[in-house]
Amino acid sequence: MSEAPVDGRAARAQRTRQIIADAHIALINDGELRPSAKQIAARAGVSQRALWDNFKDMESLMAGTARRQLAIQDADFIPVNPDLSLAERIGRYCDQRAGMLEALAPLARAADIQRPFSPALQENLRENLQRIRMAFEALFARELEDLDSAERAELTLAACATADWANWQLLRDQLQLPRAQATAVLYRTLSALLDTHRQYAGNQSNNQRKKQS
């Protein structure tokens, strides 16, 4: 009989954290890259005490907000069909990454400000890069399977660097490319990476057959 109230409190606490994180995201999307606790609490409709009861400091709040943004992103995620042609997979992957990065941009800019001083945000970045890597390896498994482990790792890391926020920010903010052109650059780069390594794998296979003959 005593477990139900505990479960209810846990559910309410989780809901409150979600409301606070959503308010934080909304403020950042409105252009407040470093909103105060007072602003966040007011936007969430909770007291500052409730905010600090759920997040011990601004770092844990930022990390919680990043997790909330990721959960929203995952809920809307539709995997690209791995049976499509290489060109179609690259195209859809690039369109998908562009959409994700555009949605993530305000929060990513806010995280960039605080990450040098935040172990939680540094860990969040490492986790995001790992997610990019795993998604790339799953979608382009056919192209990776003929490469040796070193080449496979090199190609995957190059693709992760290409598809990450830092590169997108360079294209959009520093070079001031429109989204369509930035997406085209992403497509061209990934196409070149995959085609070059496909040719490498083919040459390695031909050389191996020549040695055996």
Side-chain angles (χ1 to χ4, degrees), residues 118-166:
S118 171
L121 291 179
Q122 292 165 18
E123 178 61 25
N124 179 259
L125 176 59
R126 287 189 287 270
E127 290 176 359
N128 285 340
L129 290 171
Q130 180 63 16
R131 287 167 64 90
I132 295 173
R133 179 172 187 161
M134 292 173 63
F136 179 84
E137 289 176 335
L139 184 57
F140 299 103
R142 280 182 284 165
E143 288 68 35
L144 295 172
E145 65 182 358
D146 292 329
L147 301 176
D148 62 40
S149 59
E151 283 293 314
R152 189 181 304 115
E154 180 183 295
L155 171 56
T156 304
L157 289 173
C160 288
T162 299
D164 182 45
W165 158 250

Side-chain angles (χ1 to χ4, degrees), residues 72-87:
I72 294 171
Q73 176 181 300
D74 286 348
D76 295 333
F77 180 76
I78 300 176
V80 176
N81 184 349
D83 295 327
L84 295 172
S85 70
L86 177 59

Side-chain angles (χ1 to χ4, degrees), residues 4-26:
V6 174
D7 290 345
R9 285 196 297 271
R12 286 193 296 273
Q14 182 177 359
R15 176 59 181 163
T16 300
R17 286 192 293 271
Q18 181 176 309
I19 290 171
I20 292 170
D22 286 344
H24 194 190
I25 292 171

Side-chain angles (χ1 to χ4, degrees), residues 11-212:
R12 286 193 296 273
Q14 182 177 359
R15 176 59 181 163
T16 300
R17 286 192 293 271
Q18 181 176 309
I19 290 171
I20 292 170
D22 286 344
H24 194 190
I25 292 171
L27 284 165
I28 291 172
N29 286 340
D30 287 346
E32 288 281 354
L33 295 187
R34 300 187 72 174
S36 67
K38 182 178 180 180
Q39 289 174 302
I40 297 167
R43 187 68 171 258
V46 302
S47 67
Q48 289 188 61
R49 178 177 178 178
L51 187 152
W52 297 128
D53 282 345
N54 286 277
F55 297 98
K56 65 179 182 178
D57 51 30
M58 288 300 292
E59 179 179 359
S60 63
L61 173 55
M62 191 69 189
T65 299
R67 288 192 297 272
R68 173 61 177 158
Q69 178 72 42
L70 190 60
I72 294 171
Q73 176 181 300
D74 286 348
D76 295 333
F77 180 76
I78 300 176
V80 176
N81 184 349
D83 295 327
L84 295 172
S85 70
L86 177 59
E88 287 177 307
R89 277 179 286 144
I90 295 174
R92 296 192 184 190
Y93 177 79
C94 291
D95 287 340
Q96 187 180 74
R97 286 299 300 166
M100 290 180 179
L101 291 166
E102 286 292 295
L104 180 67
L107 189 62
R109 294 188 182 99
D112 286 343
I113 296 172
Q114 301 183 52
R115 186 176 296 108
F117 319 102
S118 171
L121 291 179
Q122 292 165 18
E123 178 61 25
N124 179 259
L125 176 59
R126 287 189 287 270
E127 290 176 359
N128 285 340
L129 290 171
Q130 180 63 16
R131 287 167 64 90
I132 295 173
R133 179 172 187 161
M134 292 173 63
F136 179 84
E137 289 176 335
L139 184 57
F140 299 103
R142 280 182 284 165
E143 288 68 35
L144 295 172
E145 65 182 358
D146 292 329
L147 301 176
D148 62 40
S149 59
E151 283 293 314
R152 189 181 304 115
E154 180 183 295
L155 171 56
T156 304
L157 289 173
C160 288
T162 299
D164 182 45
W165 158 250
N167 187 54
W168 188 254
Q169 183 184 39
L170 172 67
L171 296 173
R172 295 285 279 132
D173 294 349
Q174 307 305 320
L175 297 179
Q176 298 185 336
L177 299 183
R179 174 174 168 172
Q181 189 175 359
T183 306
V185 171
L186 181 60
Y187 179 88
R188 181 179 289 273
T189 305
L190 288 177
S191 295
L193 285 170
L194 286 161
D195 187 59
T196 297
H197 281 71
R198 183 172 56 178
Q199 292 178 16
Y200 174 87
N203 290 337
Q204 290 291 92
S205 178
N206 290 335
N207 291 338
Q208 185 65 28
R209 284 196 294 269
K210 288 179 181 179
K211 289 180 181 179
Q212 293 174 349

